[in-house]
Amino acid sequence: MTNKGVVTKVNGDRLTVVFERHEACGDCHACMHGSTDCKKHEIELRGKANVGDIVEVEMDDSHVMAASALAYMVPLAGFLLGLLIGWALGRVLTGINGELLTALCAILGTAAAYVVMRALDPHFAKGRWEQRIVSVKAPDQEA
């Protein structure tokens, strides 16, 4: 998967690159953490370029698919695990509304999975999951 973006800030070998949102992204707004205005997406990369340069950034398609699978499957697993735990507790604890306990545990399981994903995000952002710069062009070279 290849994207083109514009370098907006340079700090040593750290570049801040802004990308236009793809039409394929839909309206999930996940890239901007819930913002309704996610026409642009900003990331930091290591590389050499100047402010205003157009960079082409690539991530292997198999890694994109694996990252997408993780992003959907871990919260789903947390939800299902919470659902199972809530159902089991509801059968053991007779004085509590079982359906309410099951729903509460499912929500807590999903929240726990979200916390785990946020904690593991820095680890996944490095190595094979990291995007790399393929080419750098000055704005006047871009056709």
Side-chain angles (χ1 to χ4, degrees):
M1 178 176 192
T2 305
N3 294 321
K4 286 185 181 180
V6 178
V7 177
T8 58
K9 189 167 97 176
V10 177
N11 186 9
D13 67 340
R14 302 291 294 173
L15 307 174
T16 301
V17 182
V18 175
F19 298 95
E20 291 289 328
R21 182 178 63 89
H22 288 278
E23 290 300 319
C25 289
D27 294 321
C28 75
H29 307 293
C31 61
M32 300 301 277
H33 306 289
S35 171
T36 56
D37 181 29
C38 61
K39 292 184 180 10
K40 298 191 182 293
H41 183 68
E42 185 176 282
I43 65 168
E44 283 194 11
L45 295 168
R46 291 195 182 276
K48 299 210 181 293
N50 296 316
V51 173
D53 285 352
I54 298 168
V55 295
E56 195 169 349
V57 177
E58 179 181 69
M59 183 176 187
D60 187 8
D61 288 339
S62 64
H63 297 154
V64 172
M65 293 301 292
S68 296
L70 273 175
Y72 285 105
M73 297 310 276
V74 171
L76 178 63
F79 174 79
L80 293 175
L81 184 62
L83 201 63
L84 181 65
I85 290 171
W87 176 79
L89 286 176
R91 297 192 44 106
V92 172
L93 305 172
T94 57
I96 298 175
N97 183 342
E99 289 84 10
L100 185 60
L101 183 62
T102 301
L104 180 62
C105 286
I107 291 169
L108 290 175
T110 306
Y114 174 76
V115 169
V116 167
M117 287 295 291
R118 294 294 288 181
L120 292 176
D121 186 47
H123 169 72
F124 286 133
K126 302 294 178 214
R128 70 181 187 136
W129 302 92
E130 192 170 23
Q131 297 183 29
R132 59 188 173 86
I133 296 175
V134 178
S135 69
V136 178
K137 296 179 182 173
D140 56 351
Q141 293 177 337
E142 187 63 24

